[in-house]
Amino acid sequence: RNRIIFITLAAAVLALPALAQSDQLPAPPPIEKELAARASNVTEVTLGKNMLAFAAKFMNGKDKDEAATRQLIDGLDGIYVREYEFDKEGQFSMEEVEQLRKYFETSEWSPIVRERERKTGETTDVMVKLVNGETHGMFILEVEPKELTIVLILGPIHMDDLGKLK
């Protein structure tokens, strides 16, 4: 959970110059639109390749954390964060959640974390896209009774670099 929060916060910090951008998440658009229409609060962070390159220009590398962040985002194709908050439980269906999961359950994407909390109904899925044994994408789906969070990172991801961002 801390890692998900950290990745989300890192993407949000990088997104400050991009808040006006409103590209869709590269996922099934009808699901995204339907969730956003029913949510009481929607947070969307969209950083495509060009915006990531733009943000990297402001990181001079003198600061250790900036250097680690720049190294992490170099070569990425995009970072997409979506958070949908709902006023009450039941405003999104498990069928919609399953559609999101199935979209990424392909031969390219491998699940590495699959957590199910029976008592609260909370779930967490983390999948990675492997190309020739290297990580080229990460998908995180966190579901709570009144909240749905999606984090999608596309491009080469070096797990050592993620660990440096603590």
Side-chain angles (χ1 to χ4, degrees):
R1 179 146 176 106
N2 287 339
R3 188 170 289 164
I4 293 169
I5 292 169
F6 174 74
I7 291 170
T8 303
L9 288 175
V13 167
L14 292 172
L16 289 177
L19 289 177
Q21 194 173 350
S22 63
D23 291 346
Q24 286 186 335
L25 178 73
I31 295 172
E32 180 185 5
K33 289 177 185 176
E34 291 170 14
L35 290 168
R38 290 191 309 265
S40 57
N41 187 28
V42 177
T43 303
E44 296 180 341
V45 177
T46 301
L47 297 169
K49 192 170 189 72
N50 291 338
M51 192 53 68
L52 287 169
F54 177 74
K57 289 180 184 179
F58 292 99
M59 297 176 209
N60 58 21
K62 292 179 185 173
D63 179 88
K64 193 174 172 182
D65 291 334
E66 278 187 11
T69 302
R70 185 175 185 157
Q71 185 173 358
L72 177 67
I73 66 173
D74 274 345
L76 288 181
D77 296 322
I79 299 174
Y80 307 88
V81 179
R82 301 292 187 266
E83 185 175 76
Y84 304 103
E85 295 177 32
F86 300 88
D87 288 329
K88 53 188 171 184
E89 293 183 27
Q91 290 187 291
F92 63 90
S93 70
M94 288 313 292
E95 289 82 26
E96 290 170 311
V97 173
E98 282 304 313
Q99 284 179 336
L100 285 167
R101 283 187 186 120
K102 286 183 193 271
Y103 186 78
F104 288 95
E105 288 178 349
T106 66
S107 60
E108 291 183 320
W109 292 87
S110 301
I112 58 172
V113 175
R114 187 167 275 168
E115 179 184 17
R116 305 291 183 262
E117 180 66 42
R118 293 185 200 274
K119 194 180 236 182
T120 63
E122 297 178 11
T123 67
T124 301
D125 293 272
V126 179
M127 297 180 195
V128 294
K129 181 178 181 179
L130 297 174
V131 177
N132 296 326
E134 294 183 15
T135 307
H136 279 263
M138 182 177 285
F139 171 72
I140 302 165
L141 175 63
E142 185 170 6
V143 180
E144 298 177 15
K146 297 193 299 185
E147 190 173 316
L148 186 76
T149 303
I150 301 165
V151 178
L152 178 62
I153 303 171
L154 297 175
I157 301 170
H158 305 285
M159 295 303 174
D160 295 343
D161 294 340
L162 277 178
K164 292 177 191 173
L165 291 176
K166 291 181 184 176

